[in-house]
Amino acid sequence: MNLSCSLWQDNSLSVKYFMFAKFSEVKEQCFLLFTLILLMFLSSLTGNALIALAIWTNSVLHTPMYFFLANLSLLEIGYTCSVIPKMLQSLVSETRGISREGCATQMFFFIFFAISECCLLAAMAFDRYMAICSPLHYATRMSRGVCAQLAVISWGVGCMVGLGQTNYIFSLNFCGPCEIDHFFCDLPPILALACGDTSHNEAAVFVVAILCISSPFLLIIASYGRILAAVLIMPSPEGRRKALSTCSSHLLVVTLFYGSGSITYLRPKASHSPGIDKLLSLFYTVVTSMLNPIIYSLRNKEVKAALQRTLGKKKVLTHG
């Protein structure tokens, strides 16, 4: 199959295949980048899979906080798998093409997992707020049913936004050029290939980005504002330290995820640069997913102990 910039006729002329831009003309640089990204990708998959497995197999971690953490790990796995395999192929292969349908599928899953993670991080902040500010009612208000509903809502919102945005973008005609100045089918570089004036489309995508990124973020800020107020009036220094330590890992993950995402999607169009955008995208698709398991395992004794038990069981089964 020819994956060149072919055109097809269907009421109007439109691009049938897209091509990802080359990272570099120097093969050695591409191979080095391939190796680094592959190692980070494998580290991310292994770390997130181990955390999810440790939580599901250790009953001591069957609490709301760790239920959401397991969901976060699954989202991170899907998030990276929607982008990185195709990027790795483009780095070492001359076949850098992707069909219109394949590009739409990649965009859907990327948006789906990203928006779901935004919502889930807000649910995790709400869980910490209930645990610290309303400890007497925590068990009833954050029951298994409530946690499951929050997780389903997070995944459901991601799915609806992914379907809506993907359908909206790919209802446009793409007249060429067909080269995507990026390493995956992200919204801004795909919109840049659409025919005619796309200012209204860009404004609509921007508004959705603000709603889907800022709304959960504001809920997180509100939750931690109340948490901070509650911590400041705690009489015991040990109680304050314990309360803050349970939130520190989540806050760090939120900062990494929302910081890189906001800089990429919410800054003015005039300040966009393809090179900077690629670096930022690489950071929030690979680096943050790799760092999250490290952050939670290093800063949480219960997760660390569960991982050790899980790995210990695996060793016993292997030798047995």
Side-chain angles (χ1 to χ4, degrees), residues 3-4 17-20 86 89-90 94-99:
L3 293 182
S4 61
Y17 288 99
F18 297 102
M19 297 284 288
F20 293 115
K86 187 66 179 176
Q89 179 193 353
S90 299
E94 291 300 319
T95 306
R96 293 177 288 108
I98 187 169
S99 68

Side-chain angles (χ1 to χ4, degrees), residues 52-281:
L53 182 63
I55 291 171
W56 294 125
T57 57
N58 287 270
S59 58
V60 70
L61 297 184
H62 290 178
T63 64
M65 182 173 73
Y66 295 114
F67 168 78
F68 290 127
L69 179 55
N71 273 267
L72 180 65
S73 294
L74 294 177
L75 284 173
E76 292 286 8
I77 291 171
Y79 189 57
T80 53
C81 287
S82 68
V83 173
I84 304 305
K86 187 66 179 176
M87 179 177 64
L88 290 172
Q89 179 193 353
S90 299
L91 278 168
V92 294
S93 171
E94 291 300 319
T95 306
R96 293 177 288 108
I98 187 169
S99 68
R100 184 185 178 111
E101 294 77 15
C103 192
T105 301
Q106 187 184 62
M107 180 180 286
F108 163 72
F109 280 109
F110 173 74
I111 296 172
F112 166 48
F113 288 119
I115 298 302
S116 297
E117 185 163 339
C118 285
C119 297
L120 191 73
L121 288 172
M124 293 173 79
F126 178 72
D127 170 66
R128 291 298 84 208
Y129 159 71
M130 291 301 301
I132 293 171
C133 299
S134 186
L136 297 179
H137 304 286
Y138 178 68
T140 54
R141 293 181 180 176
M142 293 302 293
S143 63
R144 285 189 177 184
V146 171
C147 293
Q149 287 174 12
L150 289 173
V152 168
I153 290 170
S154 298
W155 290 73
V157 170
C159 184
M160 287 189 293
V161 174
L163 285 172
Q165 288 287 75
T166 304
N167 183 64
Y168 181 65
I169 296 298
F170 282 90
S171 64
L172 302 172
N173 286 317
F174 300 93
C175 307
C178 72
E179 186 172 86
I180 303 170
D181 196 7
H182 210 39
F183 58 79
F184 70 97
C185 295
D186 201 2
L187 290 164
I190 295 296
L191 259 180
L193 303 180
C195 306
D197 180 17
T198 59
S199 56
H200 293 296
N201 306 96
E202 290 170 3
V205 169
F206 185 74
V207 168
V208 172
I210 289 178
L211 290 174
C212 294
I213 295 175
S214 300
S215 299
F217 185 67
L218 290 174
L219 289 173
I220 293 170
I221 294 296
S223 296
Y224 277 106
R226 297 291 297 272
I227 288 171
L228 182 60
V231 168
L232 289 175
I233 61 173
M234 285 182 178
S236 166
E238 180 63 23
R240 288 196 295 270
R241 187 198 63 77
K242 187 176 180 181
L244 291 174
S245 68
T246 62
C247 301
S248 58
S249 298
H250 182 251
L251 273 174
L252 188 52
V253 169
V254 166
T255 302
L256 288 171
F257 183 80
Y258 274 97
S260 56
S262 299
I263 292 171
T264 301
Y265 295 106
L266 300 184
R267 73 184 196 277
K269 185 182 177 182
S271 64
H272 278 251
S273 161
I276 298 298
D277 288 349
K278 288 177 188 176
L279 285 174
L280 286 170
S281 298

Side-chain angles (χ1 to χ4, degrees), residues 305-319:
L307 283 171
Q308 290 171 348
R309 287 194 295 270
T310 301
L311 291 173
K313 288 177 186 177
K314 282 191 170 185
K315 287 179 182 178
V316 170
L317 289 172
T318 303
H319 291 300

Side-chain angles (χ1 to χ4, degrees), residues 22-34 91-92 94:
K22 282 187 176 181
F23 280 85
S24 172
E25 296 293 340
V26 182
K27 287 187 177 180
E28 289 76 12
Q29 290 180 357
C30 288
F31 181 75
L32 177 61
L33 194 57
F34 171 85
L91 278 168
V92 294
E94 291 300 319

